């Protein structure tokens, strides 16, 4: 079964193609977020302290960071990393905007890919949201893609 993340409404106005980039009441029309949207949002959280269970700029844990980055771009994800790992499409190599899932035997950490080998994450107690790269003690269990394929499919 293929689960898809829920897309939240980004505008209360109605978009009509003949109105260009603005809606009837002056709001930006709904569109799917891009990898660049996710990365810019994630960058805004760099330096925010790690806080277990945190979902705000006062403190974030790994899945709270990912959930907020996607939410702020109109896509609802579950709260916990193991739940987030059930959505999207499994891919072999990460690209910007994908989610990377880590753990020993089961998922216990998630990060937002910035490239095939680099990511942004909320690492651990005492840490802050930061850039990092594959390797070290983190075991990559899988990569999930929520963005549409480049072909537009």
């Amino acid at each position: 079964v293929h689960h898809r993340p829920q897309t939240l409404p980004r505008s209360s106005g109605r978009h009509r193609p003949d109105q260009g980039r603005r809606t009837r009441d002056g709001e930006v029309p709904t569109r799917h977020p891009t990898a660049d949207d996710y990365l810019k949002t994630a960058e805004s959280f760099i330096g925010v302290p790690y806080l277990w269970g945190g979902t705000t700029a006062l403190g974030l844990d790994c899945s709270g960071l990912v959930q907020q980055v996607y939410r702020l771009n109109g896509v609802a994800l579950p709260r916990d990393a193991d739940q987030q790992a059930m959505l999207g499409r499994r891919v072999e190599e990460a690209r910007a905007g994908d989610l990377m899932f880590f753990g020993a035997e089961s998922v216990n950490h998630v990060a937002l890919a910035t490239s095939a080998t680099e990511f942004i994450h909320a690492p651990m107690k005492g840490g802050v949201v930061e850039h990092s790269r594959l390797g070290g003690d983190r075991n990559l269990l899988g990569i999930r893609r929520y963005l549409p394929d480049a072909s537009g499919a």
Side-chain angles (χ1 to χ4, degrees), residues 3 24 43-44 54-55 76 82-83 89 97-98 101 118 126 133 141 145 147 149-150:
H3 298 282
R24 173 172 66 200
E43 287 286 342
S44 72
T55 60
D82 61 336
Q83 297 167 335
R89 298 178 314 284
D98 291 344
F101 295 94
E118 299 175 320
R133 62 183 331 122
L141 291 176
R145 181 160 298 148
L147 293 165
D149 287 328

Side-chain angles (χ1 to χ4, degrees), residues 94-108:
R95 66 180 189 213
D98 291 344
L99 297 186
M100 298 172 138
F101 295 94
F102 301 87
E105 294 179 21
S106 61
V107 171
N108 63 20

Side-chain angles (χ1 to χ4, degrees), residues 50-56 59-64 79-80:
Y50 178 90
L51 176 64
W52 186 82
T55 60
T56 72
L60 293 161
D61 64 12
C62 63
S63 55
R79 173 64 185 92
D80 296 324

